[in-house]
Amino acid sequence: LHSEAVSKIITGELEQYFNRFKLFSIDDYIEKSKNKTARLFETGLVSCYLYENQAPVHCENIRNFALNFGIAFQIDNDLKNFADEEKMNEDITNGDYSAPLIYYAEEKKISEIRNSKHVLKDIKNTKAIDKTKALKNYYINLAIENICFLEDNQYTRAIKNLCRLYTG
């Protein structure tokens, strides 16, 4: 489990490096986010689950919860970068295009991003941020659905409350 995760994380990092300055699809962005970030969540949670459960009946649910939560976590991080002009400029300068930029480029029908100051001003006139928030909420809701099999108690409520911190 751990070696597979490390392999996918390294692959995700390499793909990001070799795809710098390329605008790709939201599906490709999700796959990159899954490999770079969500695999860490998956490995940690699935490892703990397997350690504690001799008969891992719900392993796939736990795996999907971790992946969906990890994807939402990455999307949230990318959104936070748009609240910080310096970080957004850094992402654009490095050619690391996240969901808000992908949605922006789709809406504006452009194939490359050149001027970060223009993007920062112009992105507010598009639906890119709202679409990114909706995407994040979609993955949070999937994560919550993945753990619906858990008995309702203070721990599952705490997990769901943690998930809800990422909505909006």
Side-chain angles (χ1 to χ4, degrees), residues 139-152:
Y139 280 97
I140 282 296
N141 289 329
L142 283 179
I144 291 171
E145 285 178 28
N146 293 135
I147 57 171
C148 67
F149 71 93
L150 293 173
E151 137 186 3
D152 183 37

Side-chain angles (χ1 to χ4, degrees), residues 42-150:
E42 176 194 32
T43 303
L45 288 174
V46 170
S47 295
C48 291
Y49 178 76
L50 292 174
Y51 180 77
E52 287 295 321
N53 294 280
Q54 299 303 316
V57 177
H58 299 290
C59 192
E60 198 61 27
N61 294 80
I62 298 297
R63 179 184 310 278
N64 288 333
F65 167 79
L67 289 172
N68 288 321
F69 183 82
I71 291 167
F73 179 89
Q74 182 61 56
I75 295 168
D76 187 69
N77 185 64
D78 292 340
L79 277 166
K80 286 177 182 171
N81 284 353
F82 275 80
D84 182 334
E85 187 174 341
E86 186 177 319
K87 285 185 180 180
M88 194 206 66
N89 284 335
E90 185 178 310
D91 284 351
I92 292 173
T93 301
N94 292 335
D96 183 18
Y97 302 148
S98 59
L101 288 171
I102 294 167
Y103 283 131
Y104 171 78
E106 283 177 0
E107 191 170 327
K108 291 294 189 172
K109 297 182 179 15
I110 57 175
S111 59
E112 60 183 41
I113 295 176
R114 295 177 185 234
N115 185 331
S116 60
K117 290 186 190 291
H118 174 73
V119 171
L120 185 59
K121 286 169 93 175
D122 197 35
I123 201 165
K124 295 172 185 166
N125 299 322
T126 69
K127 295 182 177 160
I129 299 296
D130 289 337
K131 285 182 174 182
T132 304
K133 287 178 182 177
L135 184 66
K136 176 183 67 165
N137 290 341
Y138 170 78
Y139 280 97
I140 282 296
N141 289 329
L142 283 179
I144 291 171
E145 285 178 28
N146 293 135
I147 57 171
C148 67
F149 71 93
L150 293 173

